[in-house]
Amino acid sequence: AEYGGYSVTCPADNQYSLLSVFAESQDDNILFYRVKNNLQLIETRFTKSLDLQAHIAKLTQHRSIPLFLSDVTSDLFHRQTVVGGELEYTCEFGGYSKTH
């Protein structure tokens, strides 16, 4: 399923994988693990590659996953537009898809 520019899958029980439409590869996913009523960020190669200190502060201080994902989305978007030039995106019902 796609929500807010992220493809969401459940690779294991209580685990959620989010892949941004701006991800450079299928391995650039964000993993959360659900413990009771809380979601915990799982460190991945991708999350290690991001400058997450400011982003993680939003998770700990504001307890806001949407705010965290918004920052990550903005970073990924700027990486692609600065490094890769212009990108074309078409809007589809329920999300975005690359048309490059």
Side-chain angles (χ1 to χ4, degrees), residues 56-70:
I56 298 248
K58 296 207 169 79
L59 282 174
T60 55
Q61 183 180 11
H62 301 290
R63 301 186 55 81
S64 177
I65 291 174
L67 192 55
F68 167 76
L69 292 176
S70 174

Side-chain angles (χ1 to χ4, degrees), residues 38-54:
N38 295 313
L39 290 176
Q40 296 178 339
L41 181 68
I42 299 172
E43 190 174 85
T44 65
R45 180 194 55 78
F46 173 66
T47 56
K48 282 184 189 178
S49 75
L50 296 172
D51 181 17
L52 287 180
Q53 294 301 10

Side-chain angles (χ1 to χ4, degrees), residues 2-6 21 90-97:
E2 284 198 21
Y3 302 99
Y6 283 87
V21 296
T90 57
C91 185
E92 292 181 352
F93 187 75
Y96 294 91
S97 66

Side-chain angles (χ1 to χ4, degrees), residues 6-19:
Y6 283 87
S7 173
V8 180
T9 58
C10 298
D13 285 344
N14 295 317
Q15 195 175 67
Y16 303 93
S17 175
L18 287 77
L19 180 67

